[in-house]
Amino acid sequence: MIAQRNPTTVSRLMLTSPPIYKDMVTAIAQKELERNYNFLKSPIFGNAAFSVLESRQIIKFFSDTFLFASKCDDDWLDETENEISIEARPPIQAFNAGPLQNR
């Protein structure tokens, strides 16, 4: 959504985190993928999970751990909070359910 709103600043955006080798070569069972995805799409459990995942503290932890060489700044955290929405969830739900690792 950030890239879409700022086409003159961001022409392409790819968010990625390299998986460990075992995850790349081990298939995830279809039933597990469905269970994971249905959990994240659930109005009760999915919303509860996202209320935690979308908290400023968790975003800061994830960003500091995986996205920045040192620490993220308040501008980054403010922008991520501004971009949080139900419409932004489907790619996160799909990624975290595991189909990108499905073989």
Side-chain angles (χ1 to χ4, degrees), residues 56 59 73-84:
R56 189 175 181 99
I59 293 169
D73 59 19
D74 285 333
D75 289 340
W76 169 259
L77 294 171
D78 293 343
E79 192 60 38
T80 59
E81 284 184 319
N82 290 337
E83 296 293 328
I84 290 172

Side-chain angles (χ1 to χ4, degrees), residues 34-54 86 89 92-93 96:
E34 290 174 12
R35 185 190 71 228
N36 294 346
Y37 187 71
N38 289 336
F39 174 84
L40 292 170
K41 293 282 292 176
S42 163
I44 296 170
F45 299 114
N47 282 339
F50 272 96
S51 70
V52 172
L53 293 172
E54 293 171 342
I86 300 294
R89 289 181 178 178
I92 299 163
Q93 293 163 334
N96 285 304

Side-chain angles (χ1 to χ4, degrees), residues 1-95:
M1 300 190 104
I2 293 172
Q4 182 182 18
R5 291 185 186 159
N6 301 289
T8 58
T9 306
V10 180
S11 63
R12 291 179 180 84
L13 179 66
M14 182 174 79
L15 301 176
T16 183
S17 176
I20 60 172
Y21 181 75
K22 181 182 174 205
D23 287 347
M24 291 191 299
V25 298
T26 304
I28 297 174
Q30 185 67 31
K31 286 188 181 234
E32 184 178 348
L33 291 172
E34 290 174 12
R35 185 190 71 228
N36 294 346
Y37 187 71
N38 289 336
F39 174 84
L40 292 170
K41 293 282 292 176
S42 163
I44 296 170
F45 299 114
N47 282 339
F50 272 96
S51 70
V52 172
L53 293 172
E54 293 171 342
S55 71
R56 189 175 181 99
Q57 297 84 2
I58 296 298
I59 293 169
K60 179 170 177 34
F61 171 77
F62 180 86
S63 298
D64 289 348
T65 305
F66 299 107
L67 302 179
F68 290 85
S70 58
K71 303 285 182 193
C72 66
D73 59 19
D74 285 333
D75 289 340
W76 169 259
L77 294 171
D78 293 343
E79 192 60 38
T80 59
E81 284 184 319
N82 290 337
E83 296 293 328
I84 290 172
S85 68
I86 300 294
E87 296 79 21
R89 289 181 178 178
I92 299 163
Q93 293 163 334
F95 179 83

